[in-house]
């Protein structure tokens, strides 16, 4: 039997019911299927793929074509979860119109059911315009990796008081602006847990935290951190629930050894020629 699909209204209702929301990044069909089977409610096709799939230093070079491609792979693998496609840097910052057109591509060509974009006050008009054409939007404030060069690295935001970019009151204002513009949820990344608690209490829409403490309405992790597929270093806020990377090495080493020793393939994996028929 097909499982009941997670919808945008379902996610909004979860906050009202104090039901915690789970979101995990996915970049391809196989992992989308597995995460969906595990009961994750939201699959985020994050532009973090630039770092964990493409081996880049930052998410900045990721293109909209790449996001459309990976979103399509994920959309094919999910049955129940809601697929959120990330708008990459340069696909929505130059004008509101550009943001709307990029969002349409993620939905129409990629199969996303919602899009995520980074930024608060400065992106309010873009969020409003995308939501106005009925594309559900997830906001993203606090540490916004596409602003890595302004921030001087991937640093915790909102530690100091002030209304400047990355300062405490500004993060609150950004989160409020995202809600007022019509987003249905907002990611809070790398901010102190008391600030995340304040924002979560102030907003009607769900907050989904990463490095933002336990008081958010939901939590998101990058898949490669969650399953231990990234290298030995894991961000302090993440938790490795498995060591899949080690298991991959173990399996590949066993394969190498068996091939070298002539132990693979065996009869069981080999084909025989067709038997000659009686009539010749
Ligand atoms: O791109 C991404 O994976 C993200 C998460 C870290 C929220 O934006």
């Amino acid at each position: 039997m097909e499982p009941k699909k997670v919808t945008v209204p379902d996610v909004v209702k979860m906050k009202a019911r104090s039901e915690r929301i789970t979101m995990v990044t996915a970049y391809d069909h196989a992992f989308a299927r597995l995460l969906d089977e595990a009961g994750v409610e939201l699959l985020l096709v994050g532009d973090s793929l630039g770092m964990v799939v493409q081996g880049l230093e930052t998410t900045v070079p990721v293109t909209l074509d790449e996001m459309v491609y990976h979103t399509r792979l994920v959309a094919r693998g999910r049955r129940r979860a809601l697929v959120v496609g990330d708008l990459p840097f340069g696909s929505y910052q130059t004008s509101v119109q550009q943001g709307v057109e990029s969002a349409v591509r993620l939905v129409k060509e990629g199969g996303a059911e919602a899009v995520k974009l980074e930024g608060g006050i400065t992106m309010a008009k873009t969020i409003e315009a995308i939501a106005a054409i009925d594309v559900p939007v997830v906001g993203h404030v606090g540490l916004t990796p596409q602003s890595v060069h302004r921030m001087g690295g991937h640093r915790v935001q909102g530690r100091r008081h002030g209304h400047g970019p990355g300062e405490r009151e500004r993060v609150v204002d950004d989160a409020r602006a995202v809600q007022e513009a019509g987003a249905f949820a907002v990611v809070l990344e790398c901010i102190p847990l008391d600030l995340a608690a304040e924002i979560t209490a102030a907003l009607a829409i769900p907050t989904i935290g990463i490095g933002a403490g336990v008081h958010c309405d939901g939590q998101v992790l990058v898949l490669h951190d969650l399953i231990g597929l990234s290298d030995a270093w894991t961000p302090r806020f993440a938790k490795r629930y498995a060591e899949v990377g080690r298991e991959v090495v173990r399996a590949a080493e066993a394969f190498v050894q068996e091939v070298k020793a002539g132990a693979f393939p065996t009869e069981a994996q080999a084909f025989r020629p067709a038997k000659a028929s009686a009539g010749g």
Side-chain angles (χ1 to χ4, degrees):
M1 206 174 72
E2 276 296 302
K4 187 187 168 307
K5 184 80 188 66
V6 177
T7 65
V8 169
D10 291 336
V11 175
V12 175
K13 274 188 223 140
M14 287 174 81
K15 175 165 182 142
R17 292 197 206 109
S18 301
E19 210 180 307
R20 305 251 177 169
I21 300 160
T22 56
M23 175 190 251
V24 178
T25 65
Y27 313 104
D28 65 21
H29 175 270
F31 279 109
R33 196 172 49 75
L34 296 172
L35 294 170
D36 190 290
E37 187 185 324
V40 172
E41 282 107 8
L42 293 126
L43 297 180
L44 171 64
V45 190
D47 63 353
S48 51
L49 69 85
M51 297 166 85
V52 297
V53 176
Q54 298 175 334
L56 297 167
E57 291 284 312
T58 74
T59 60
V60 172
V62 175
T63 67
L64 183 59
D65 283 345
E66 288 163 349
M67 292 308 304
V68 168
Y69 171 75
H70 284 277
T71 304
R72 200 182 299 137
L73 306 189
V74 169
R76 271 186 219 139
R78 72 92 171 75
R79 294 166 70 208
R80 171 180 173 270
L82 188 84
V83 174
V84 181
D86 229 352
L87 287 171
F89 180 69
S91 73
Y92 61 98
Q93 284 91 348
T94 63
S95 69
V96 170
Q97 182 64 21
Q98 187 203 25
V100 171
E101 284 169 9
S102 299
V104 167
R105 281 199 64 199
L106 276 186
V107 172
K108 205 174 169 72
E109 296 173 43
E113 296 160 297
V115 301
K116 178 171 83 57
L117 61 89
E118 298 181 9
I121 296 169
T122 56
M123 285 300 143
K125 284 198 166 62
T126 304
I127 294 172
E128 210 176 306
I130 297 172
I133 57 158
D134 287 341
V135 173
V137 181
V138 178
H140 184 157
V141 303
L143 192 166
T144 46
Q146 293 173 18
S147 315
V148 62
H149 299 310
R150 171 181 57 74
M151 295 182 304
H154 295 100
R155 299 177 193 284
V156 176
Q157 305 291 295
R159 276 189 159 144
R160 276 193 314 277
H161 284 282
H163 287 274
E167 292 178 331
R168 188 173 172 107
E169 286 72 21
R170 174 61 181 267
V171 179
V172 177
D173 292 346
D174 278 337
R176 283 189 193 280
V178 161
Q179 169 171 282
E180 276 156 30
F184 76 94
V186 60
V187 168
L188 305 179
E189 180 163 356
C190 285
I191 58 172
L193 80 171
D194 66 314
L195 176 55
E198 181 187 329
I199 294 170
T200 300
L203 298 190
I205 60 171
T207 59
I208 303 177
I210 177 161
V214 71
H215 305 299
C216 300
D217 298 307
Q219 297 293 327
V220 50
L221 279 181
V222 168
L223 172 71
H224 289 50
D225 295 336
L226 187 154
I227 65 171
L229 206 53
S230 40
D231 53 22
W233 182 81
T234 309
R236 189 164 91 77
F237 57 77
K239 181 169 170 185
R240 291 165 88 99
Y241 287 84
E243 290 299 334
V244 171
R246 292 308 322 154
E247 191 55 17
V248 171
V249 174
R250 194 204 56 72
E253 278 173 354
F255 169 71
V256 170
Q257 273 172 15
E258 288 198 358
V259 171
K260 305 272 180 210
F264 176 86
T266 65
E267 276 287 306
Q269 288 101 21
F271 297 104
R272 300 242 157 243
K275 286 197 180 93
S277 63

